[in-house]
Amino acid sequence: MGDVVARGTYVVKTATKGMVLVPGGRFRMGSGDFYPEERPIHEVAVSDLWVDEHPVTNAQFRRFVKATGHLTVAEQAPDTADFPGAAAADLVPGSLVFVGSKGPIPLDDWTRWWAWLPGTNWRHPYGPDSTLDGRDMHPVVHVGYEDAAAYAAWMGKVLSTEAQWEYAARGGLDGATYAWGGDFMPKGRIMASTWHGQFPWENLRPHGFDRTSPVKRFAPNGYGLYDVAGNVWEWTTTPWAADHTTTGDAPIHACCTPGTENIGEQDRRVIKGGSHLCAPSYCHRYRPAARQGHGVRSTTSHLGFRCVLPA
Ligand SMILES: [Cu+2]
C-alpha cells in the first residue's frame, strides 16, 4: 500500500485507511427464501479484498469534487438524444426523491411515493432548498454509476462486483439471512437503518432516523463493515441479469472512468444492500442476497456506494 498509481487522468496515492481486509474464500451466494432473482443458491469464490468500512460519505465526496471539479449525473441536463420527444423544459438537472404518501396506498406503482425534483443532487438531497448541513457523515446519494466509478478511480480504488459485495456483507456468516445472523432484531436490537411501520406513509423510525443515517451508527458485521444493510443501496459493477448465476464475477470496468464511456443510458447494474426505505411489507431487501437492477444514470435519494481494492 501507499504506492502511487496512475489511472486515466488521475494520479493517486492508494491507501487502505478506512478499509477492512476481507479474507477471500468460497461462499453460498443467493437465497432460496425470498425473491426469484436471488435463486438459485450457488457457490462462488472471492479473493482477498480491501473494502471501505462504510459507504462513501458526503464529506468524502465533497473532497473529491473539490479536487477534481467532477460534475455528477444529477447536476447535468439529460441529453435530448436519450429522451426523444421530451420537452426541452423538462430536460433540466434533477433527481428522484422519496416523498412517501399521506396514508395507505396501493403498492403497485412506485411513482406514487417518488418524485423527480429539478435541482436535486448530492449537495441538495431533498430538493434545491435542502442542504448537507448536519449530513457530512451521511452516505452521499444522488450519484450515478459513473460518479461512483469516478470517485473510486480518484481514490485509486474500484467498485466491487456483486459477488464480492455479497461475500463481504455476509461477514463470514455463510448462508445467514441477515448480515448479523438469522434474526432480524436479535434480543429486540435494531441492527440496521430500515423502514419500520406501514410503507410508504407510516415511518415509525424507532432508530431515530427519517431518511439516511450517519454511517457507523449500527453494529458492524463480522468483518467490521458498517451499513451493509439498509441506509443506502450501493452500486456494484455487475451488469444486471435476473439470473445471478449468469453474471459471473469478472469486474466489468475494473479500472474506472474512463471506461464507463461505453455504458449506455439504459444499461443497468446490480445494486446491493437495501436502504432505509426497505420495509418487510413491501421490500424485504436489507439482506446480503438481495439484489436489484438499476439504471446507470438513474440517481435517487437512497442509492450510494462504497469502494474496494483487491488485496
Ligand atoms: Cu427495498
Side-chain angles (χ1 to χ4, degrees):
M1 291 306 113
D3 344 335
V4 173
V5 179
R7 287 218 167 92
T9 54
Y10 302 122
V11 175
V12 293
K13 191 172 167 63
T14 60
T16 51
K17 186 168 166 277
M19 302 183 92
V20 166
L21 181 59
V22 173
R26 299 186 70 81
F27 79 113
R28 285 175 289 159
M29 185 172 174
S31 167
D33 300 330
F34 294 90
Y35 303 110
E37 69 274 11
E38 300 168 20
R39 298 176 195 141
I41 297 172
H42 59 293
E43 213 174 270
V44 176
V46 171
S47 305
D48 293 357
L49 191 69
W50 289 93
V51 180
D52 281 353
E53 61 177 355
H54 57 72
V56 173
T57 63
N58 286 314
Q60 291 175 314
F61 199 76
R62 185 188 292 119
R63 284 198 285 279
F64 157 65
V65 169
K66 258 192 188 147
T68 62
H70 181 86
L71 195 66
T72 60
V73 172
E75 295 169 283
Q76 304 167 33
D79 192 332
T80 47
D82 293 320
F83 297 91
D90 292 335
L91 294 177
V92 297
S95 193
L96 278 170
V97 178
F98 173 78
V99 291
S101 69
K102 295 250 184 296
I105 49 169
L107 295 176
D108 57 355
D109 179 6
W110 61 268
T111 63
R112 292 167 190 263
W113 55 87
W114 286 93
W116 193 86
L117 299 182
T120 300
N121 56 55
W122 72 274
R123 292 179 200 277
H124 306 287
Y126 300 103
D129 298 330
S130 65
T131 71
L132 294 182
D133 287 356
R135 294 194 181 106
D136 268 12
M137 295 309 287
H138 287 226
V140 65
V141 288
H142 300 294
V143 283
Y145 181 76
E146 67 194 52
D147 303 321
Y151 177 92
W154 181 72
M155 290 293 289
K157 302 178 185 179
V158 294
L159 302 176
S160 72
T161 65
E162 177 182 10
Q164 288 172 332
W165 199 100
E166 181 168 333
Y167 177 77
R170 288 182 175 280
L173 296 178
D174 193 32
T177 297
Y178 300 106
W180 50 85
D183 271 345
F184 174 51
M185 289 174 62
K187 297 187 176 130
R189 187 168 175 212
I190 295 180
M191 302 299 289
S193 174
T194 64
W195 183 283
H196 294 251
Q198 292 304 305
F199 190 79
W201 57 279
E202 185 191 35
N203 190 356
L204 298 176
R205 55 191 190 100
H207 38 54
F209 302 111
D210 257 330
R211 298 287 185 267
T212 56
S213 50
V215 298
K216 299 177 78 166
R217 285 299 173 93
F218 299 89
N221 74 0
Y223 293 141
L225 299 172
Y226 294 85
D227 297 275
V228 291
N231 208 355
V232 291
W233 284 96
E234 299 182 20
W235 285 110
T236 76
T237 57
T238 302
W240 170 253
D243 178 352
H244 70 161
T245 61
T246 64
T247 56
D249 192 30
I252 302 306
H253 294 290
C255 166
C256 41
T257 49
T260 51
E261 67 269 5
N262 294 325
I263 298 177
E265 178 81 25
Q266 307 306 330
D267 286 353
R268 289 195 290 171
R269 289 285 184 272
V270 174
I271 58 173
K272 297 288 277 183
S275 83
H276 58 278
L277 299 178
C278 290
S281 58
Y282 175 65
C283 172
H284 196 153
R285 289 196 172 83
Y286 35 85
R287 298 173 291 105
R291 54 199 302 271
Q292 274 191 340
H294 197 85
V296 290
R297 288 171 69 86
S298 173
T299 61
T300 82
S301 59
H302 74 155
L303 172 54
F305 68 101
R306 79 177 73 205
C307 305
V308 301
L309 195 57

